[in-house]
Amino acid sequence: PMEIAVVISPPPYVAMTAVGRVPFGVDELTVAGGLAGASVEVVKCETVDLLVPAHSEMIIEGIVRPGVRETEGPFGEFFGYMGPQVKSPVIEVGAITYRDGSIHQGFQEQFPPSEGSTIKDIAMESLLLGALRQMGIPGVLDVHVHPMSCQQHLVVQIKPQFAAHARAVMSGVWGVYPNRAKQVIVVEDDCDIYDDGLVELHVATRVQPQRDMIIWRDGTGIQLDPSMPRETCNSGSKIGIDATKSVSYPPLSLPAPELLKQARDQWAKYGLPGLSG
């Protein structure tokens, strides 16, 4: 039997860290303390030998016995579809402690972009940026996970420094998140990775499929991905798109940046309708 404590409504920085899914081996309370700017105060449970965040609304203590399963679900999942019923472990509750007037707070996790998926995306961006740099891959500037992609489509911005730089980045992404990042687009530093239209332009004008698209077959999948039969969904394919320059390019068909800035700064003086964005 395994002792367990379920924490209901911990401090927000603890909850955000839990939803963000930091990598295995990284202490979640240490990350939460980094978000809080101070150590997370913990306290020992009443009936099990576990420490929990002291300023939580409710703690459910108990044990999980091996091999005991009950059916749960279906629930709305972060892929935007209803998940299947599954057999899950059962907690034998031994104690419940709570604050008088406790508030049950959580994160909505269904059709994207939800509260939960947004937090996961931000965490994935941060963790990937740090991991790619720690691998020794130079020139990695930024990472963006598309909010509607269920962590499957992301864009990495780099300053190319060697042949196949973009492919090294793709390999790094799949090494850190083997069951996410079904599509990885790598662009240069002249592309705003948060502008979907500009990313599309770079894919349209800098990519030749036979040269710049890499298919990774039989990679690691994720059970919640509805594009694969559930029996085989743990194995899936991925695509990497190198949208960096492979040939010399003519100048963009735009006015000089300083002229565009001047026009924007003086727009109101021209008596034209206001600009948005």
Side-chain angles (χ1 to χ4, degrees):
M2 180 184 72
E3 294 183 328
I4 190 171
V6 180
V7 181
I8 306 294
S9 302
Y13 42 85
V14 175
M16 291 177 68
T17 304
V19 174
R21 292 174 179 255
V22 301
F24 178 77
V26 177
D27 184 73
E28 290 187 341
L29 289 183
T30 299
V31 176
L35 292 177
S39 299
V40 178
E41 185 179 354
V42 295
V43 64
K44 190 175 182 299
C45 289
E46 297 287 334
T47 62
V48 296
D49 188 21
L50 295 171
L51 298 174
V52 292
H55 302 288
S56 302
E57 296 286 299
M58 180 181 295
I59 307 293
I60 302 173
E61 305 175 13
I63 60 171
V64 177
R65 298 194 181 278
V68 179
R69 299 288 188 273
E70 292 289 350
T71 300
E72 71 166 356
F75 298 114
E77 300 290 355
F78 80 101
F79 264 83
Y81 295 86
M82 296 301 294
Q85 285 191 325
V86 295
K87 294 287 188 178
S88 294
V90 176
I91 300 175
E92 292 184 8
V93 177
I96 301 177
T97 57
Y98 56 91
R99 183 182 67 83
D100 288 342
S102 59
I103 300 171
H104 192 140
Q105 178 265 333
F107 295 109
Q108 181 70 15
E109 181 85 271
Q110 291 195 28
F111 194 87
S114 65
E115 294 173 322
S117 70
T118 300
I119 293 170
K120 281 200 286 285
D121 291 350
I122 294 171
M124 184 176 181
E125 290 169 350
S126 175
L127 292 166
L128 264 178
L129 185 61
L132 291 172
R133 290 172 174 173
Q134 289 171 8
M135 288 176 188
I137 302 175
V140 179
L141 304 177
D142 204 357
V143 178
H144 176 51
V145 178
H146 196 282
M148 289 299 293
S149 75
C150 313
Q151 297 189 307
Q152 298 302 309
H153 294 180
L154 59 92
V155 187
V156 183
Q157 183 191 61
I158 67 170
K159 192 171 185 64
Q161 298 183 19
F162 55 88
H165 192 166
R167 298 192 182 206
V169 170
M170 297 169 195
S171 296
V173 169
W174 293 328
V176 178
Y177 280 94
N179 67 344
R180 300 290 201 275
K182 189 159 49 174
Q183 173 180 285
V184 179
I185 301 174
V186 182
V187 298
E188 295 190 23
D189 55 347
D190 60 345
C191 179
D192 180 357
I193 61 176
Y194 300 95
D195 184 332
D196 291 343
L198 197 53
V199 172
E200 181 66 25
L201 175 67
H202 280 240
V203 171
T205 61
R206 297 188 180 180
V207 173
Q208 281 295 315
Q210 65 181 8
R211 179 192 67 201
D212 300 316
M213 292 188 176
I214 299 95
I215 302 292
W216 181 17
R217 301 182 184 277
D218 301 319
T220 305
I222 182 172
Q223 288 186 341
L224 297 175
D225 185 347
S227 68
M228 294 284 286
R230 182 163 177 80
E231 297 75 22
T232 61
C233 61
N234 283 330
S235 176
S237 58
K238 303 179 188 297
I239 183 170
I241 302 175
D242 181 355
T244 62
K245 295 176 184 175
S246 298
V247 298
S248 60
Y249 273 74
L252 291 173
S253 55
L254 285 172
E258 57 270 17
L259 291 178
L260 291 173
K261 183 179 184 305
Q262 180 181 349
R264 180 179 288 274
D265 292 343
Q266 298 183 8
W267 194 262
K269 296 180 182 179
Y270 305 147
L272 296 170
L275 293 172
S276 61

